[in-house]
Structures are given as structure tokens and as C-alpha cells.
């Protein structure tokens, strides 16, 4: 499902007169998030005014090419059996049309809803099902109260009302909540909006790809968030409801929204359904002012390479990835001790200097340097007391006197120099030491490490244990970091069996999944293990669907080439999702890049060696970018080669390597199925794109695995 670019939420009203000019409750409010931007809610005094505005909004969003979800807070359907009794058909939309031809509603709001409800009640035996009216002595076909109304022919509530624990019934016409009246006055309006081009109704008929989808909603789902927003403020309740519900729906990640809109019970076909019923807490969380804000999914062109390039050099491919990808995760606050390995979501400045005050670097005795007489050795009387770390000396040390002072103690007033205790002889009252101590010796100045307000860690940095020390030392207890990226991993191939699984000679064990999982974990990424998928297009399609639903990006291995059984590339191509990158890299090809349901897919080669190299060179920086981290290049260095090799021009090569005796040795075989060579290696030797003739002793670039964070 494609997501919605814009969301509107309408709080409908069955009022019989225009609402006051000044925004007030019991009018019609429309909450609006347009192309990701929250707008001030619209206030409409009458249904006529609201319908005109809604029609304009629908047409504008369509003209701008934006997909619109338009939600309304009244039932789109009635309990099972009601529609058939009225129209002879189970089709809820036929009921909409039936109502539209009968409901009259003038400019000022005068309407005939009670007359129409009487007509409807006449179709049922006994009193009801509609009940409640404004005048006890009018509309004899409508009971004044619910007592005596039997709900035998149709239930009082729909399946979704029960699922959402909604208090209201669509048969209640009067007294709060007047849901029944709102539906009678709202469905004719929807029947007209539905006839505009591009408009479909969820969950009836074909709404999956429609540019505009009308859906039923219920602000009761976000009651907690509405109350919270209203505390201490004057915001009108109805206004807060539409504003927050539009916000929460607009913030729902596409896969979550899709899951809420599909897989409904069968009753929904006739009775309709409340969008997100049962997901109130999730909507409340998303409605909060400080809810993690997930950026929009990637656009289609993030994997585009310049046209006409046949074999793309590695650097060019990396540049394109860097330009096309952006962060896809929102931010959250974490206590410092839970933040190791996480990506900073904002720059951090020192809240406090380090050290915060001048202090002693040693255990010794402090005094004023200027008060020392000019003599080869000094004897100074000792002051009572001492200065220790965590317990400051409150007084001032007089000139010509000394004070016992310990490491980390704040330098007291009257002291600027400390002599090391090993250089001192003392008795109960005095100390003696030789001259030659420099002014300021053995003291640390305030802020000599970090000054308060100095920038200490930049947004996009992956926090190391040492960073935590720096942040803690300078007064930070909580950091804003990005949510951990979730990556789904799956292996493909009929021959693949899990480690430990029974095998026939034609089977091989899955080497890639444990390796890729561990690589991801090392990068601070959460892994969603999708398992092993046979060479079957439908199985693969289902696996990718699941992966896209549960993760932010997908790593597959195997089947990425153009052979008969290369279903990964075939499927991605068939879905129109694939960019085939022919990267001038060994071992590497094939590498398939695609978006599946808006989620980036890295189709890695099946050979474990090639899978590892492609992951380190391409997937690692790309995933780091999706996770909000700054782009980093693995740091290598030149070392003498312990091998000889002649290399043709036209592609970059990575050899499994390690350093012994200060020289880079490479694994004996370059075969990309040799897993033992991967395990043997401690890094990669990178040979440049051009031709090269390497003799033992020539410098080659060595990149240790640790440079990739392994
Ligand atoms: P493919 O890319 O599917 O053509 O696979 C290339 C080679 O890698 C074949 O020999 C596969 O059997 C092997 N291979 C594919 N996936 C894995 C895996 N998960 N573990 C080990 N070897 C694999
Ligand atoms: Mg295969």
C-alpha cells in the first residue's frame, strides 16, 4: 500500500442551527496534516460550509498528486442486517444513497432527520431501533428513551463498536453522544463526496490504490492524549480531538497503517470499521508533542545511478548511495548509560567545564608561590585541616603557609602551587622542601580539558564508551538519539539449510545469515530474522512483504544474479522496484538495490565472501545513513605486501588479508566460496580500480576489519 501524504479528520455535527461566529464546540472541526505539515484546524459553522471545504480539499490534494486519507467521526455502516432491511441489499453504499435521496438539510442546518428516522423505524417491528428525540410530543414513531427498544432484528452495536469499546450506538439520535443523528446527517454528504473522481471508501470496494480514501474514525481512541493536551490550556475539546487524531494518523508508519486497514473481520464489509480500533495507546503515543517523529520513507530514486554508465566504479556508486539515502528513523531520549552504540540525534555541548574548578593533580601540600622566600629550601607552617576530593577546604591559606591537599581536591583560596608529598619532609606543624618547584605545579585549571558550552559531540556520531565518559564528565545525563534501525535478513536458495538442520548431499548450510546477523548486531542494528526462503517467487514475495512490514531495510543473500533461479532480482524487477547496479568490484557482483514497499532492499550475492565484501563496502555505510549516522569511510593504511599479484584495470578488488611481521599477506585462493579464507582474514587489501603489478615489499592499502566496526 502506498502511504498517505495528507490526512484530514472531521468532527461532524448534527446541529440544527449555525454554530457561533467565534470558534466554539459543537461545530464542525477539520484537523489537517497536509504533505507532512500540520495545519491549524478549520472551523465550520454549518454542514454546508464544511461539505464545500471538504470537496475543495479533496480536489486540491488530488490536483497536487498527494494521496489523502479523509477520516470522519461517525459510523459508515449499521449493524449487520440493517442495510438489507432498508434497501434490500447488504451493500452499505446503497444505504448511503438511500439516505441521500431522503435527508433534507438547508443552509442554516434545519433538517428532517427525525422524519427519516421514523420512516426507518417503520420498517422494523416494535419500537426502535432509532430512539431519542428533542421533543417528547413529536415524531411518534421514535421512542423518547431507550427503554423498551428491542435490538432483536439488528444489534445495538456493530462489531467494531465492541472492539473499540465505544459507548455510542448509531441508533441513538439525541442526548450525548448523538452519533445516530450525526450518521444520518453525515452519510448523505459522504455519498456526494464519494462521487468525486478518485475517491474510494474504506473498507468497502477498491480503496487500496485510490488517491482519496474516506474512512471512519473515532476520537475516543485518543482520549488520553486529548485530555493531556487540554490540561492547563484553553483549547476547545473538539479542536484538540481532530488536531491530534490527524497528527497521529499522519505519523503512523505505512506498514502499521496498512496492517490496521487490512485483515479486518468479515462484518466490516457491511458494518464498516473504526480505523485503528484497538490501537488507542499507539495513537496516543504518536499524538504526543514529543512523539518520535519518523521521517518519510525513501523516494523511488534513491538508488539511481547516472544513466549510460555501464560498469560503475565503486566510488561513484558510493557517492550515489550517499546522495540518495537519508535517515528513516525517529529520535528518542535515553539515559546516558543506555546510549552506547546509538547515534546522536543532536549536537551535544558541555553543560559544565571539565574540571569544573581548579584542583590538585597529586597528593601533596599547597601554598602561594609568590609567598616563598628566595632561598635554597623552604620551611612552611601547616594550616589545620586539609583539602580532599569531594570535601573542599572552606578557609583561605595565609601567605607563607601550606595546607595538606589530596588529588582531585579543589585548590583553596590562597594556593596556586602544590608540592608533591614525596618531595616533602614534615612534622606535626611544618613541612620542608627544596626550592625549584614551578609556579602552578601539580594543579589543573578549571576547564583545561573542556570549557562549559563547548561542542563535544556532533549529531550523527555513534556514541563510544569513551564518549559516554566525556558526556558524563561534562554534566549530560540524558541524550537524544535515533531509534535503532531494524534490518530484516533472509537467505534464499533451495539448497540452503539452517545450521544443524538435516541435510542431503545437495544441501549446504546457511553461512550468510549468522554472519550478516552478527555484522548488524555489531553495527547497533536490530535484526529481524526472516529465515531461509526457497527459490520460489511467491514465497519470496510473502517474505519481502513481511520483512518490509517489520523492518526499516532488508538484506537478502543469493538469487541476485540473472539466472533461472535468481528470483530475488526477477521479483524485484517484475515489481518495477529494482535498480541493477553493475559495480566494478571483485568479489561483488551481482548486487541488486531496490525499494520494496518503500523499504530499501540490498540484494547481496550468495557467495559468503562476496556477501561480506558487499556488506562492508556498500550496505554498511548505506545502513548507517538510514540510521542517521554520519557517513564514514573505513580507515586503511599502507603496508608492504607479502605477496605478488598482477591485476587488470577496470575494477576494484578486495583480497582477504592479514598482517604478519609488518607485511600484508593474502589468502591463498581468491575463490569467493572459500569461507575458511574469510575466517582466516583479519582485514582486506584494497587494490585500486586501475591496473597494478604488485611485487613483495610494494605498499598496498590494508583495511583492518576493525575499521568496519567488526
Ligand atoms: P546465488 O547468488 O544464489 O547464485 O548463490 C551463489 C553461491 O552461493 C551458490 O553456490 C550458493 O549455493 C551459495 N550460497 C547462497 N546463499 C548461501 C548462504 N546463505 N550460505 C552459504 N552459501 C550460499
Ligand atoms: Mg541461489
Amino acid at each position: 500500500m502506498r502511504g498517505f501524504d495528507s490526512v484530514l479528520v472531521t468532527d461532524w455535527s448534527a446541529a440544527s442551527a449555525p454554530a457561533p461566529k467565534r470558534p466554539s464546540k459543537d461545530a464542525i472541526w477539520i484537523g489537517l496534516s497536509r504533505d507532512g505539515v500540520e495545519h491549524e484546524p478549520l472551523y465550520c459553522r454549518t454542514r454546508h460550509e464544511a461539505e464545500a471545504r471538504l470537496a475543495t480539499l479533496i480536489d486540491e490534494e488530488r490536483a497536487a498528486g498527494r494521496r489523502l486519507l479523509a477520516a470522519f467521526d461517525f459510523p459508515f455502516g449499521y449493524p449487520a442486517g440493517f442495510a438489507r432491511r432498508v434497501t434490500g441489499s447488504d451493500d452499505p453504499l446503497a444505504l448511503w444513497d438511500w439516505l441521500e435521496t431522503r435527508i433534507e438539510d438547508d443552509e442554516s442546518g434545519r433538517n428532517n432527520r427525525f422524519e427519516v428516522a421514523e420512516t426507518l423505524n417503520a420498517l422494523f417491528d416494535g419500537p426502535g431501533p432509532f430512539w431519542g428525540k428533542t421533543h417528547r410530543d413529536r415524531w411518534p414513531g421514535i421512542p423518547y428513551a431507550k427503554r423498551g427498544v428491542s435490538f432483536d432484528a439488528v444489534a445495538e452495536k456493530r462489531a467494531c463498536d465492541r472492539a473499540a469499546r465505544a459507548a455510542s450506538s448509531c441508533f441513538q439520535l439525541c442526548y450525548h453522544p448523538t452519533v445516530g443523528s450525526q450518521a444520518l446527517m453525515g452519510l448523505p454528504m459522504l455519498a456526494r463526496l464519494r462521487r468525486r473522481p478518485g475517491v474510494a471508501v474504506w473498507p468497502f470496494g477498491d480503496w487500496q490504490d485510490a488517491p482519496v480514501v474516506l474512512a471512519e474514525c473515532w476520537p475516543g481512541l485518543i482520549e488520553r492524549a486529548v485530555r493531556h493536551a487540554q490540561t492547563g490550556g484553553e483549547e476547545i475539546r473538539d479542536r484538540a480531538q481532530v488536531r491530534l487524531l490527524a497528527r497521529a494518523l499522519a505519523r503512523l508508519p505505512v506498514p502499521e497503517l496498512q496492517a490496521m486497514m487490512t485483515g479486518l473481520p468479515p462484518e466490516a464489509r457491511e458494518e464498516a470499521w473504526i480505523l485503528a480500533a484497538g490501537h488507542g495507546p499507539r495513537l496516543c503515543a504518536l499524538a504526543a508533542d514529543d512523539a518520535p517523529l519518523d521521517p518519510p520513507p525513501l523516494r523511488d530514486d534513491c538508488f539511481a545511478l547516472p544513466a549510460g554508465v555501464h560498469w560503475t566504479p565503486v566510488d561513484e556508486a558510493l557517492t550515489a548511495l550517499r546522495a540518495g539515502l537519508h535517515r528513516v528513523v525517529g529520535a528518542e531520549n535515553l539515559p546516558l548509560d543506555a546510549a552506547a552504540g546509538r547515534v546522536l540525534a543532536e549536537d551535544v555541548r558541555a553543560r559544565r567545564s571539565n574540571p569544573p574548578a581548579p584542583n590538585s593533580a597529586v597528593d601533596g601540600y599547597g601554598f602561594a608561590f609568590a609567598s616563598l622566600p628566595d632561598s635554597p629550601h623552604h620551611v612552611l607552617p601547616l594550616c589545620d585541616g586539609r583539602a580532599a576530593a569531594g570535601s573542599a577546604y572552606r578557609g583561605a591559606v595565609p601567605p607563607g603557609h601550606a595546607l595538606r591537599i589530596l588529588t582531585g581536591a579543589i585548590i583553596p583560596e590562597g594556593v596556586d602551587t602544590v608540592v608533591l608529598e614525596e618531595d616533602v619532609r614534615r612534622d606535626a606543624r611544618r613541612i620542608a622542601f627544596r626550592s625549584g618547584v614551578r609556579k602552578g605545579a601539580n594543579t589543573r585549571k578549571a576547564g583545561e580539558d573542556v570549557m562549559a558550552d563547548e561542542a563535544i559531540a556532533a549529531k550523527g556520531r555513534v556514541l563510544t564508551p569513551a564518549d559516554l565518559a566525556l558526556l558524563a564528565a561534562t554534566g549530560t545525563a540524558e541524550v537524544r538519539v535515533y531509534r535503532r534501525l531494524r534490518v530484516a535478513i533472509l537467505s534464499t536458495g533451495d539448497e540452503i539449510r539452517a545450521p544443524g538442520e538435516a541435510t542431503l548431499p545437495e544441501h549446504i548450510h546457511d553461512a550468510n545469515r549468522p554472519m550478516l546477523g552478527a555484522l548488524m548486531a555489531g553495527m547497533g542494528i536490530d535484526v529481524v530474522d526472516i529465515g531461509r526462503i526457497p527459490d520460489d517467487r511467491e514465497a519470496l514475495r510473502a517474505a519481502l512483504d513481511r520483512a518490509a512490514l517489520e523492518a526499516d531495510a532488508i538484506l537478502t543473500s543469493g538469487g541476485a544474479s540473472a539466472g533461472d533461479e535468481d528470483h530475488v532480482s526477477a521479483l524485484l524487477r517484475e515489481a518495477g522496484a529494482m535498480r541493477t547496479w553493475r559495480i566494478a568490484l571483485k568479489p561483488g557482483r551481482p548486487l541488486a538495490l531496490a525499494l520494496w514497499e518503500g523499504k530499501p532492499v540490498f540484494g547481496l550475492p550468495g557467495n559468503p565472501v562476496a556477501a561480506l565484501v558487499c556488506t562492508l563496502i556498500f550496505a554498511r555505510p548505506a545502513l548507517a545513513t538510514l540510521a542517521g549516522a554520519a557517513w564514514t569511510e573505513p580507515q586503511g593504511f599502507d603496508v608492504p605486501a607479502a605477496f605478488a599479484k598482477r591485476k587488470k584495470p577496470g575494477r576494484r578488488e578486495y583480497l582477504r588479508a592479514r598482517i604478519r611481521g609488518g607485511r600484508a599477506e593474502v589468502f591463498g585462493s581468491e575463490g569467493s566460496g572459500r569461507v575458511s579464507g574469510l575466517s582466516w582474514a583479519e582485514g582486506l587489501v584494497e587494490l585500486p580500480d586501475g591496473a597494478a603489478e604488485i611485487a613483495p615489499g610494494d605498499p598496498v592499502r590494508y583495511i583492518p576489519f576493525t575499521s568496519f566496526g567488526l
Side-chain angles (χ1 to χ4, degrees):
M1 183 184 87
R2 187 157 86 80
F4 293 94
D5 307 295
S6 301
V7 174
L8 70 79
V9 171
T10 304
D11 175 56
W12 196 243
S13 155
S16 301
K21 274 215 176 67
R22 218 172 115 249
S24 57
K25 67 185 187 67
D26 296 331
I28 295 174
W29 285 95
I30 303 174
L32 182 60
S33 165
R34 216 171 188 179
D35 203 14
V37 179
E38 280 179 30
H39 286 246
E40 289 294 302
L42 304 172
Y43 174 73
C44 306
R45 296 179 61 205
T46 64
R47 283 183 294 276
H48 276 253
E49 182 188 341
E51 186 172 336
R53 284 209 179 183
L54 288 164
T56 310
L57 281 170
I58 286 174
D59 294 348
E60 282 174 359
E61 293 306 290
R62 243 177 79 66
R66 291 193 289 261
R67 187 162 197 233
L68 172 69
L69 175 66
F72 298 83
D73 73 331
F74 55 81
F76 278 25
Y78 287 84
F82 181 85
R84 173 168 291 274
R85 181 71 71 102
V86 178
T87 65
S89 146
D90 293 331
D91 179 6
L93 296 174
L95 186 61
W96 290 22
D97 293 339
W98 188 97
L99 285 171
E100 198 225 338
T101 57
R102 284 162 182 84
I103 289 282
E104 293 160 15
D105 190 13
D106 78 9
E107 290 275 347
S108 68
R110 264 193 305 271
N111 63 76
N112 66 342
R113 67 181 189 279
F114 289 108
E115 284 78 5
V116 172
E118 270 192 304
T119 312
L120 288 166
N121 273 355
L123 301 173
F124 292 81
D125 300 330
F130 287 95
W131 63 273
K133 52 190 175 182
T134 48
H135 300 74
R136 206 184 252 280
D137 51 350
R138 291 176 67 183
W139 310 295
I142 301 175
Y144 186 66
K146 190 165 106 178
R147 206 168 343 105
V149 176
S150 93
F151 293 101
D152 294 339
V154 283
E156 183 183 9
K157 290 183 182 176
R158 303 170 298 159
C160 66
D161 297 325
R162 294 190 298 270
R165 297 168 199 265
S168 52
S169 157
C170 46
F171 294 122
Q172 179 181 339
L173 297 175
C174 211
Y175 333 114
H176 193 73
T178 58
V179 171
S181 280
Q182 288 176 22
L184 289 181
M185 299 312 298
L187 293 176
M189 175 259 322
L190 292 187
R192 289 185 289 275
L193 290 184
R194 183 171 83 84
R195 285 187 216 115
R196 304 188 90 78
V199 181
V201 183
W202 173 81
F204 311 139
D206 240 1
W207 57 271
Q208 292 268 5
D209 297 311
V212 179
V213 176
L214 310 180
E216 176 182 340
C217 67
W218 181 48
L221 292 177
I222 57 158
E223 179 59 23
R224 191 166 49 78
V226 170
R227 282 225 199 104
H228 182 78
Q230 282 188 291
T231 41
E234 357 260 47
E235 184 169 14
I236 294 164
R237 185 177 158 76
D238 310 41
R239 185 185 192 279
Q241 286 181 331
V242 297
R243 181 174 66 81
L244 295 176
L245 190 51
R247 171 196 278 182
L249 291 173
R251 285 179 176 178
L252 261 180
V254 180
E256 253 185 281
L257 181 62
Q258 180 181 18
M260 290 175 188
M261 294 183 82
T262 52
L264 301 178
E267 292 94 326
R269 298 269 326 124
E270 180 184 347
E271 297 187 341
W273 200 258
I274 296 169
L275 182 56
H279 299 279
R282 175 68 176 135
L283 290 183
C284 285
L286 288 170
D289 285 336
D290 59 353
L293 193 56
D294 279 338
L298 297 167
R299 302 257 177 206
D300 249 357
D301 57 359
C302 63
F303 291 137
L305 274 179
V309 180
H310 201 57
W311 283 97
T312 308
V314 173
D315 287 338
E316 197 173 314
L318 286 173
T319 306
L321 272 186
R322 188 175 181 174
L325 295 176
H326 62 73
R327 174 173 59 83
V328 297
V329 288
E332 62 183 342
N333 290 342
L334 277 189
L336 198 57
D337 56 9
R342 301 292 289 262
V343 181
L344 267 185
E346 60 191 17
D347 295 341
V348 179
R349 291 181 172 277
R351 289 165 179 267
R352 201 172 187 234
S353 296
N354 184 49
N359 65 27
S360 176
V362 297
D363 289 349
Y365 297 87
F367 52 85
F369 182 82
S371 68
L372 292 183
D374 187 11
S375 59
H377 72 266
H378 309 291
V379 177
L380 302 182
L382 273 174
C383 298
D384 286 342
R386 61 170 204 173
S391 80
Y393 182 76
R394 302 285 167 206
V397 177
H401 285 63
L403 178 74
R404 174 72 171 144
I405 188 163
L406 302 179
T407 307
I410 288 189
I411 303 285
E413 203 185 322
V415 173
D416 60 8
T417 303
V418 176
V419 56
L420 201 61
E421 69 179 13
E422 288 83 348
D423 291 338
V424 164
R425 176 147 310 146
R426 65 166 286 176
D427 62 18
R429 292 179 301 103
R430 298 162 307 164
I431 60 169
F433 57 96
R434 289 175 186 275
S435 68
V437 179
R438 277 172 300 103
K439 180 177 180 199
N442 299 318
T443 62
R444 305 170 179 142
K445 290 193 274 301
E448 73 174 23
D449 179 25
V450 178
M451 291 298 277
D453 205 39
E454 202 175 302
I456 48 171
K459 175 177 170 172
R461 183 176 174 86
V462 180
L463 289 171
T464 64
D467 292 340
L468 301 192
L470 174 59
L471 267 62
T474 50
T476 289
E478 190 182 82
V479 280
R480 192 143 183 84
V481 294
Y482 294 122
R483 173 171 74 64
R484 283 163 74 103
L485 194 74
R486 276 190 306 265
V487 171
I489 299 179
L490 58 98
S491 299
T492 70
D494 284 341
E495 76 280 30
I496 307 297
R497 290 292 177 273
E501 211 175 328
T503 50
L504 295 171
E506 63 263 41
H507 294 146
I508 62 166
H509 285 301
D510 187 349
N512 288 342
R513 216 147 30 100
M515 174 177 75
L516 296 173
L519 277 171
M520 295 302 110
M523 290 176 61
I525 289 172
D526 285 336
V527 173
V528 180
D529 187 0
I530 303 288
R532 162 189 84 81
I533 313 299
D535 286 318
D536 171 86
R537 212 159 290 188
E538 288 321 305
L540 188 59
R541 188 194 305 278
L544 288 175
D545 282 347
R546 193 185 136 209
L549 207 58
E550 294 184 15
D552 303 306
I554 305 165
L555 285 187
T556 69
S557 69
S561 226
D564 295 351
E565 295 295 339
D566 286 324
H567 296 282
V568 173
S569 47
L571 182 61
L572 295 174
R573 192 171 299 113
E574 175 192 300
M578 178 145 105
R579 310 276 177 172
T580 321
W581 278 21
R582 290 154 65 88
I583 300 165
L585 168 70
K586 181 187 172 190
R589 15 181 328 238
L591 179 66
L593 298 169
L595 284 184
W596 188 267
E597 297 288 342
K599 302 295 174 67
V601 183
F602 297 84
L604 302 167
N607 278 308
V609 178
L612 181 76
V613 169
C614 281
T615 303
L616 295 183
I617 303 300
F618 292 103
R620 188 195 67 97
L623 293 173
T625 303
L626 298 177
W631 185 274
T632 54
E633 259 140 50
Q635 295 302 304
F637 45 89
D638 288 350
V639 290
F643 61 95
K645 182 175 163 68
R646 171 179 274 166
K647 175 189 169 298
K648 288 196 282 234
R651 68 178 177 196
R652 187 170 301 181
E653 284 191 34
Y654 290 94
L655 309 176
R656 281 151 282 173
R658 64 184 193 183
I659 298 212
R660 288 293 180 273
R663 293 170 157 237
E665 33 180 66
V666 295
F667 191 62
S669 158
E670 291 182 17
S672 68
R674 299 287 194 103
V675 189
S676 64
L678 269 189
S679 165
W680 172 92
E682 292 163 7
L684 298 172
V685 157
E686 181 185 66
L687 301 181
D689 298 359
E693 173 118 34
I694 294 149
D698 288 351
V700 289
R701 172 128 299 223
Y702 176 77
I703 309 173
F705 283 148
T706 49
S707 284
F708 298 100
L710 294 191

